[in-house]
Amino acid sequence: MTVVTPLRYGLNEADASIGPDLLACDPPGGARVVEAFGDAATADHIAVVVPGNGHHLGNYFTSTEAHSPRSRGQLLLRTMHQIAPESRSAVVVWLGYHSPPEWYNAITNGPAYAGAPDLANLTHYLPRAAHLTLIGHSYGSTVAGLALASARAEDCVALGSAGMGAVRRSELGAGTRLWAAYGETDRIRLVPRVRVGPLGLGRGPLELGATRFGTGDIPGHCGYYAEGSESLLNIARIALGRYDVVTPAGVTTARTPRPARSIAAMEAAA
């Protein structure tokens, strides 16, 4: 099992030249970084985004791809504000583990086991009064699943999960609502869900009792945060505790109309 130094959380502890909202960061050449968007100290709702493989400190600030962890975190926060402008919301992008570099490295569960305690610690560092949602994509859902036994989270969302790290629901602790999303063209659904020693990522979220929600026509394995998609809207609704408007999988619904002032207009005015 990979042994790593525990993360120390605290605003402004990192290099201010990188960003004042870092909750934790490895030294240059390291892999881990945790960044907050919005005021996490006063938020009513905090979503913690846990990325999958291929992400690290070296490309965290430089990637301009739409599916980069930073882009996803910023877009999720804007969507939460769009849905509930009256709510105080924040998003934490937690790249606090040594993510497998490639998809074929992600058949081993060592990095997930090594990172899960730090993710659980983050949930206890964040304000206890806030509604907290863990959102794990792909391998990130394995890390989130393994953290749940000792974490404080009202909701856990698994996006394109190959396994939650567990083989029994009891391994995920109690008191956390489980949610899952699988896009119609996401081939991750074909991956065997087993765990044998250091190999395999355990059972999928649906096998462990998760509620599946709709994603719409998102593309492939990396489209769960597509702007304006049913998937992103449902993720934001869960993070805001608006469970009554989360759309179930397999039900055709009309696209949610955008407010008169679109996200693009909000960005332009910022």
Side-chain angles (χ1 to χ4, degrees):
M1 182 180 296
T2 304
V3 178
V4 295
T5 302
L7 287 172
R8 293 181 58 192
Y9 295 111
L11 278 173
N12 300 315
E13 285 190 356
D15 186 348
S17 67
I18 298 177
D21 296 320
L22 294 183
L23 297 180
C25 188
D26 278 342
R32 301 173 299 173
V33 57
V34 182
E35 185 177 19
F37 296 100
D39 189 352
T42 62
D44 299 316
H45 303 278
I46 303 175
V48 179
V49 172
V50 186
N53 68 278
H55 303 291
H56 51 82
L57 177 58
N59 61 21
Y60 179 79
F61 291 101
T62 59
S63 176
T64 58
E65 297 179 341
H67 60 267
S68 71
R70 287 195 99 210
S71 297
R72 288 171 169 172
Q74 291 167 332
L75 178 57
L76 176 57
L77 181 59
R78 292 197 299 268
T79 304
M80 292 170 71
H81 285 161
Q82 185 182 30
I83 291 173
E86 76 285 356
S87 294
R88 294 178 296 181
S89 303
V91 172
V92 174
V93 178
W94 186 87
L95 188 48
Y97 75 113
H98 290 76
S99 165
E102 301 289 348
W103 65 266
Y104 48 80
N105 302 121
I107 62 171
T108 61
N109 52 48
Y113 273 104
D118 279 323
L119 178 56
N121 288 342
L122 173 70
T123 68
H124 296 288
Y125 169 80
L126 295 172
R128 294 197 63 82
H131 165 238
L132 191 59
T133 303
L134 301 184
I135 306 168
H137 172 245
S138 195
Y139 196 88
S141 69
T142 309
V143 185
L146 290 172
L148 283 182
S150 55
R152 179 194 72 80
E154 282 70 34
D155 294 279
C156 180
V157 179
L159 308 172
S161 176
M164 298 290 289
V167 294
R168 293 179 297 275
R169 178 63 178 85
S170 59
E171 294 179 61
L172 303 180
T176 301
R177 286 174 288 268
L178 296 180
W179 304 83
Y182 287 100
E184 293 302 318
T185 60
D186 188 351
R187 296 183 179 179
I188 199 73
R189 294 178 298 172
L190 306 177
V191 175
R193 289 171 172 80
V194 296
R195 187 187 70 189
V196 181
L199 299 178
L201 306 182
R203 291 185 175 176
L206 298 179
E207 298 173 273
L208 297 171
T211 299
R212 184 176 177 182
F213 59 86
T215 60
D217 56 352
I218 60 171
H221 184 58
C222 295
Y224 291 93
Y225 290 89
E227 185 168 1
S229 66
E230 182 182 357
S231 174
L232 178 61
L233 289 170
N234 278 333
I235 295 168
R237 290 162 180 158
I238 293 168
L240 289 165
R242 302 198 170 191
Y243 312 120
D244 57 325
V245 290
V246 174
T247 58
V251 176
T252 302
T253 59
R255 180 179 288 273
T256 302
R258 292 182 181 273
R261 204 167 178 227
S262 67
I263 289 178
M266 291 166 62
E267 290 179 313

